Amino acid sequence: METRELRYFVAVAQERHFGRAAQRLGIAQPPLSRAIAQLERRLGVTLLERTSRAVTLTEAGAVLLREGRAALDAVEAAERRTRRAATGGPSLVLVTKAGASSELLAKLLDAYAAEPGAVAIDVQLCGVGEQEGLLRDGRADVALLHLPYDSAVGFDTEVLHTEGQVAVLPAGHPLTTRPHLTMAEVAAIPDLPMPRWPRRDGSYPDGPGPEVRDNAQLLQLIGLGRTTAVLPESVRASLQRDLATVPVPDAPTVTTLIAWPPHSRSRALAGLVLAATRL
Amino acid sequence: METRELRYFVAVAQERHFGRAAQRLGIAQPPLSRAIAQLERRLGVTLLERTSRAVTLTEAGAVLLREGRAALDAVEAAERRTRRAATGGPSLVLVTKAGASSELLAKLLDAYAAEPGAVAIDVQLCGVGEQEGLLRDGRADVALLHLPYDSAVGFDTEVLHTEGQVAVLPAGHPLTTRPHLTMAEVAAIPDLPMPRWPRRDGSYPDGPGPEVRDNAQLLQLIGLGRTTAVLPESVRASLQRDLATVPVPDAPTVTTLIAWPPHSRSRALAGLVLAATRL
DNA sequence: AGGATTGATACCCGGCGGGTATCGCCGCGT
DNA sequence: ACGCGGCGATACCCGCCGGGTATCAATCCT
């Protein structure tokens, strides 16, 4: 099976429409129809049920969509990492959520830079939930993840840090005088609806709260009195003076992990992981 | 990057010889040379250093070999699982080491079969260390692994069982009267050298012991008085009468895991994992 | 009933993958 | 030192296949 065939199939399977898929792929519709038919013939498997009105996936088609996306990510990762290995640029790209673990990250980078043989590390900040994709398709080599917010499924990891969570409120809010709060109390604060985070596909659920992509945006919106949130206590290190925090003992404990694709143990990565575990 | 290009490059990188690689691929040498050159041109990266006497990998070439093999496995897995999803055959292939965890496996299969909506499960037995490859390239969907013998890197897992280990000796051997043994004592038994296991590439280290591929072979050789071994205590359930066991308290504890590729949560697999955790 | 939408089919063309023949380079043997 | 042999690169040709346009066929919506 060639990656071209896989790309074509994934496009059709996602769009559920040959014409739109062809447009997205930058080719005409007839060659696409033919390519899919040929793929089905070669596999000996019907992947799509087409009527002239709708295209639906068969069970086997659903399997190929799921597995094929992972395979295409792997191919893309191979290509990107090869290109990066050659163009002597940063030999390691670390990705983490904007506005999270900044203190830990600074310590990690300092500790690694002090090691003999340390290479340049590119730090890339992204929105919540984007790390996995970046790591999977080779745009990044290593990530800081936060359980239970992120999922570490399919990666190698080491635990770096665990911590409780605190509610972040605008300074002067009446509840800032309380010694602690419960999750239920925070969720019920009048006029401060909880923010809405993007789903895996990038869309946002409905609700009263503001849409946010990362912690930096979130903290700014809290300062503006538009929302509130329960975050790991380490955010206190990077708070402006207009924000206050109150412990939330019944919030789930947050575990910070360093994560990397399981098979890619380069020398540089091994050094960084070692430095991280010694923090 | 097309999978054909990747396959060609991997062949050359492994053989370090264009002629042999071409032969292995079933094509002539000139098209192979051209394909590699074209790949390098498209990537903008030199992958191989060739003199007319030797072919060596550049750093980028080493990266592409490592990442490319993983990517090819992923593509192959997508193809195999798609084909299997269509040809209504066994909808789940479970792989485990021959001669290991047989009791646990029987219980698991019984428990799962009793669930509503259970599908046919194919059990495949393999040699030590072969499970990972089978799982990675789609020949199997789920495996029983044994830490610390196997590596669970890159898979999702659930712990099923932990146990100590015992030395397995021919019945009547003088040491079978001892209440327990140490690792050092077992390794030093005169005339019973420890067996040699295959390395990742399939070759065997040098040494006096017999070559073995799985526990079934191993147990037979022990019965013949050719070797001895330290194995999880659950092997006692499947021993012939010509074998005896002695606990080895200082051997590492063995953990039995059920493992599966992280992204492939089919309905059938989820049911099997659930049944396994409830054992 | 008829037009619109959408996937399949028919047919053509150009490029690319694969083949054979041969060259150029280098190490080695006598 | 010269020549031979091994190996990768180059040159050139052919046939297939991927991509394009034109059109058909089936279905749904007025």
Side-chain angles (χ1 to χ4, degrees), chain B residues 15-167:
Chain B
E15 298 282 347
R16 281 172 168 71
H17 190 290
F18 279 75
R20 279 198 302 275
Q23 199 172 357
R24 198 176 102 185
L25 292 166
I27 65 172
Q29 170 260 318
L32 180 57
S33 284
R34 201 181 46 185
I36 301 292
Q38 183 173 326
L39 175 61
E40 289 180 310
R41 216 159 17 82
R42 277 210 264 259
L43 286 175
V45 168
T46 305
L47 299 169
L48 300 168
E49 223 56 80
R50 45 277 230 195
T51 71
S52 70
R53 222 51 197 176
V55 174
T56 59
L57 289 174
T58 64
E59 201 175 329
V63 170
L64 186 58
L65 176 56
R66 180 159 45 76
E67 300 273 333
R69 285 173 57 91
L72 287 176
D73 274 349
V75 172
E76 222 173 310
E79 188 167 341
R80 257 194 265 265
R81 296 214 171 93
T82 302
R83 213 171 253 132
R84 276 226 321 274
T87 61
S91 20
L92 226 40
V93 175
L94 183 151
V95 60
T96 187
K97 285 192 274 292
S101 297
S102 52
E103 210 178 8
L104 178 69
L105 178 57
K107 277 197 296 185
L108 170 58
L109 293 177
D110 282 351
Y112 175 68
E115 299 233 338
V119 302
I121 293 193
D122 228 32
V123 175
Q124 190 171 343
L125 300 177
C126 72
V128 166
E130 294 175 12
Q131 289 121 307
E132 299 174 49
L134 292 169
L135 215 49
R136 226 178 289 278
D137 71 7
R139 280 175 292 172
D141 302 300
V142 57
L144 295 186
L145 300 181
H146 301 86
L147 299 181
Y149 294 118
D150 305 313
S151 145
V153 160
F155 298 121
D156 254 22
T157 59
E158 289 283 348
V159 173
L160 296 186
H161 184 56
T162 61
E163 57 190 322
Q165 297 196 75
V166 296

